[in-house]
Amino acid sequence: MSPLDARAAVFGSGADTVSRYVDILASRGIDWGLMGPREGDRLWDRHVLNSIACADLLPEGSSVVDVGSGAGLPGIALAILRPDLRVVLLESLLRRANFLELAVEELALGDRVSVVRARAEEHHEVYDVVVSRAVAPLPRLVDWCAPLLARHGRMVALKGETAGAELAEAAPLLRRRGLVGRVVERPVPATDEVSWAVELERAGR
Ligand SMILES: C[S@@+](CC[C@H](N)C(=O)[O-])C[C@H]1O[C@@H](n2cnc3c(N)ncnc32)[C@H](O)[C@@H]1O
């Protein structure tokens, strides 16, 4: 299967846009130091596909904030996959926020994707879904992200194999904050890999 066919199989009508996004990551993303120089060959599966593995956890039409978006992962990948989502890319570093602004403009996603340069703990909007990937240990993430959750909202923290251990360790904090969580495991599309997320919601929702 050609790379474009592989992208179409996962992203459908977003295949061209996701190809352009991978090109941006491979060029400016590496030049600006947002992606490691050795990531060039792994952008598609290790980063983009990994970012969308848990997309089914996001309800149709959700408002989503990607906390610590970096180069746009998972937020840009999710926005390309799911045209029903409205996505805010929240990033504290100026250089990274500038990268995100350019990417959103070049990918013509500006009608539903916006960039906010701020620290999560200083951001005061609420969202249906708060996503994050590779940003902070779960207790710190919960402190930053719980205030961003709408009453019915959920947090989806993309984690590695440590998801279960992190969730267990955070149990006292979650109880104090009135949150309940579970670990979700999903196959990474078009690969033999699996991906894990911690999903948190308010108790008794
Ligand atoms: C390791 S990178 C991960 C980036 C991206 N999520 C990914 O998976 O490739 C962590 C990102 O979180 C950002 N960040 C760290 N603390 C933050 C905070 N308190 N609020 C917003 N962004 C933060 C950093 O600037 C950095 O871009």
Side-chain angles (χ1 to χ4, degrees), residues 1-16 18-19 44:
M1 201 187 280
S2 76
L4 192 60
D5 287 344
R7 287 166 194 186
V10 180
F11 279 83
S13 61
D16 179 56
V18 82
S19 293
W44 171 239

Side-chain angles (χ1 to χ4, degrees), residues 75-186:
I76 290 181
L78 287 168
I80 296 171
L81 180 75
R82 293 273 305 272
D84 59 294
L85 302 175
R86 287 160 290 128
V87 179
V88 169
L89 309 172
L90 184 64
E91 170 55 52
S92 55
L93 291 185
L94 177 63
R95 184 184 174 78
R96 292 172 183 235
N98 287 344
F99 175 94
L100 292 169
E101 295 275 10
L102 276 175
V104 167
E105 189 184 325
E106 289 170 16
L107 298 172
L109 294 171
D111 56 336
R112 14 185 222 100
V113 181
S114 56
V115 179
V116 174
R117 185 191 165 211
R119 297 186 63 78
E121 55 274 46
E122 291 161 3
H123 185 61
H124 300 298
E125 301 291 327
V126 294
Y127 300 87
D128 301 324
V129 187
V130 180
V131 297
S132 61
R133 176 178 181 260
V135 175
L138 193 59
R140 206 180 314 151
L141 264 186
V142 168
D143 281 340
W144 292 350
C145 297
L148 306 180
L149 284 178
R151 186 192 294 266
H152 60 274
R154 69 178 66 161
M155 194 174 144
V156 177
L158 305 185
K159 293 282 181 185
E161 288 176 76
T162 62
E166 287 199 50
L167 182 59
E169 201 178 318
L173 169 67
L174 299 182
R175 267 195 300 279
R176 278 200 303 281
R177 285 197 168 270
L179 296 169
V180 289
R182 63 177 182 136
V183 172
V184 178
E185 184 180 321
R186 292 285 185 273

